[in-house]
């Protein structure tokens, strides 16, 4: 299979990375080092967390629906059929990963877990280094100058 037809990642395992970071945060909070710096307690953090989590789920559904509507696979172990620049992809090149990160932040606020709040940006950095760069190379090989133009006008995250 040539580079033009090769998928960006061999396995679609990034939800497991985010899930693993969440689980590690829960273990850290419950059994190793309960966070006491930020005092994420009370009604305001819970309400803010619910709003952020709702926004994250809506963004994820919007992004997935946009990809399905344009007949391009959502799974990373499939080759992109089309460069998606509509819907949430007008504002961010990675709305699904952004939604995962926002969901972690929302969950951290809802459950008062400081470790999850710290893990969210770290997980986003890991995602950028192990997945997004490969996806971008795949899209560059597949769509060339159209992808370069898209990158110039649309941020990677927000």
């Amino acid at each position: 299979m040539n580079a033009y037809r090769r998928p960006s990642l061999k396995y679609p395992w990034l939800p497991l990375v985010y899930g693993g970071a969440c689980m590690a945060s829960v273990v850290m909070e419950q059994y190793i080092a309960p966070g006491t710096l930020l005092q994420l307690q009370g009604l305001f953090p819970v309400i803010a967390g619910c709003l952020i989590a709702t926004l994250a789920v809506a963004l994820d559904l919007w992004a997935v629906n946009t990809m399905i509507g344009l007949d391009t696979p959502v799974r990373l172990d499939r080759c992109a059929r089309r460069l998606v620049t509509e819907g949430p992809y007008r504002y961010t090149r990675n709305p699904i990963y952004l939604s995962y990160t926002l969901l972690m932040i929302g969950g951290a606020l809802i459950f008062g877990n400081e470790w999850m709040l710290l893990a969210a940006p770290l997980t986003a950095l890991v995602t950028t280094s192990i997945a997004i760069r490969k996806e971008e190379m795949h899209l560059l090989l597949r769509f060339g100058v159209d992808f370069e133009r898209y990158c110039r006008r649309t941020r990677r995250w927000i």
Side-chain angles (χ1 to χ4, degrees), residues 6-9 11-12 14 67 74-78 80 83 89 93-97 127-143 147:
R6 188 176 344 171
S8 57
L9 295 176
Y11 304 104
L14 274 166
M67 291 183 81
V74 176
R75 290 182 45 177
L76 299 174
D77 61 338
R78 305 277 198 264
L83 181 61
Y89 295 90
R93 294 195 311 253
N94 298 288
I96 295 173
Y97 299 145
T127 299
T128 299
S129 64
I130 64 172
I132 291 175
R133 294 191 194 285
K134 289 179 182 178
E135 289 176 28
E136 288 176 345
M137 185 55 64
H138 165 72
L139 294 171
L140 181 62
L141 289 170
R142 188 103 167 112
F143 302 107
F147 181 68

Side-chain angles (χ1 to χ4, degrees), residues 94-152:
N94 298 288
I96 295 173
Y97 299 145
L98 178 59
S99 71
Y100 293 167
T101 305
L102 289 172
L103 192 58
M104 279 186 75
I105 293 169
L109 294 172
I110 292 167
F111 299 112
N113 188 320
E114 292 178 22
W115 293 106
M116 195 177 299
L117 196 60
L118 294 171
L122 294 175
T123 307
L125 286 172
V126 168
T127 299
T128 299
S129 64
I130 64 172
I132 291 175
R133 294 191 194 285
K134 289 179 182 178
E135 289 176 28
E136 288 176 345
M137 185 55 64
H138 165 72
L139 294 171
L140 181 62
L141 289 170
R142 188 103 167 112
F143 302 107
V145 71
D146 290 335
F147 181 68
E148 287 177 350
R149 282 190 206 120
Y150 174 62
C151 287
R152 278 196 293 269

